[in-house]
Amino acid sequence: MSREDDGRAGPSATSPVGPSLPLGFLALAAGSVMLSGLQLQWIPPAQSHTVAVILLAFVPPLQLLSSILAFVSRDPVAGTAMALLAGSWTCIGMATLIIPAGDSNPALGLLLAVGAVLLLLPAVAAVREKPVGTAVMTITALRFGSAAVAHLVQAPAWLTVSGVIGVALAVAALGAAAVLLLADVRPVTSSPART
């Protein structure tokens, strides 16, 4: 990844756009909280369709935009990670919409397992330049992996584990977005007053 999204430097002179990861991480935090709310039964199972619609309407569009902006700014690792997340959250939202609340689904489990492995690729690629992004992607992979186990072996207790990891992921993603946004804020220098 380039240094322009890691919080150590602002947008480069050659990039027409600023860092895109904060937007993707904020969407990730929101989606993770909503899904954790369902998994930890903070939200009643009868409202799973509402959660699904919220996930579909909010998370994938913002992550897709983040992905596009990353590719435009020549950051293929961030672009790839955000595109993988946008696709994964679209599938999670659709599955939440059609699968009865609390039911296991091996097809979704397999997708989540594959998604967990795929997310580790940009995480490993970013380990030196974007340690914050690597941490968030690794926690996301753990979240997807634990949910995959729940669906593949029909073990509802693993959904609780996934929900707890999801809360930790939301906190990590929110913190990462804050760090990246704050690092990109520069003091505005005023020009000398003319007399």
Side-chain angles (χ1 to χ4, degrees):
M1 286 186 173
S2 67
R3 287 169 117 17
E4 55 196 61
D5 283 337
D6 70 357
R8 289 183 274 167
S12 69
T14 60
S15 175
V17 295
S20 64
L21 281 179
L23 176 63
F25 286 163
L26 291 173
L28 177 61
S32 194
V33 166
M34 292 303 298
L35 190 58
S36 288
L38 197 57
Q39 292 170 326
L40 298 173
Q41 299 180 355
W42 299 340
I43 301 171
Q47 293 184 12
S48 64
H49 287 96
T50 304
V51 171
V53 171
I54 291 169
L55 289 177
L56 289 168
F58 188 79
V59 182
L62 293 179
Q63 289 181 330
L64 184 59
L65 176 59
S66 177
S67 172
I68 292 167
L69 292 173
F71 282 121
V72 166
S73 65
R74 297 186 177 122
D75 189 347
V77 177
T80 300
M82 287 299 127
L84 288 170
L85 284 173
S88 297
W89 281 103
T90 299
C91 293
I92 291 167
M94 294 297 291
T96 304
L97 193 60
I98 62 173
I99 297 169
D103 282 5
S104 296
N105 187 291
L108 177 59
L110 185 58
L111 173 76
L112 289 168
V114 170
V117 172
L118 294 179
L119 284 171
L120 290 175
L121 296 176
V124 168
V127 74
R128 291 183 132 190
E129 291 294 321
K130 294 183 185 278
V132 171
T134 295
V136 172
M137 289 299 105
T138 302
I139 298 169
T140 305
L142 289 172
R143 188 206 208 308
F144 284 4
S146 59
V149 171
H151 287 285
L152 289 171
V153 301
Q154 300 178 352
W158 277 94
L159 283 180
T160 302
V161 171
S162 180
V164 170
I165 295 171
V167 171
L169 171 60
V171 171
L174 185 61
V179 166
L180 295 174
L181 286 171
L182 291 173
D184 197 48
V185 174
R186 292 173 210 80
V188 178
T189 58
S190 58
S191 57
R194 294 183 183 181
T195 55

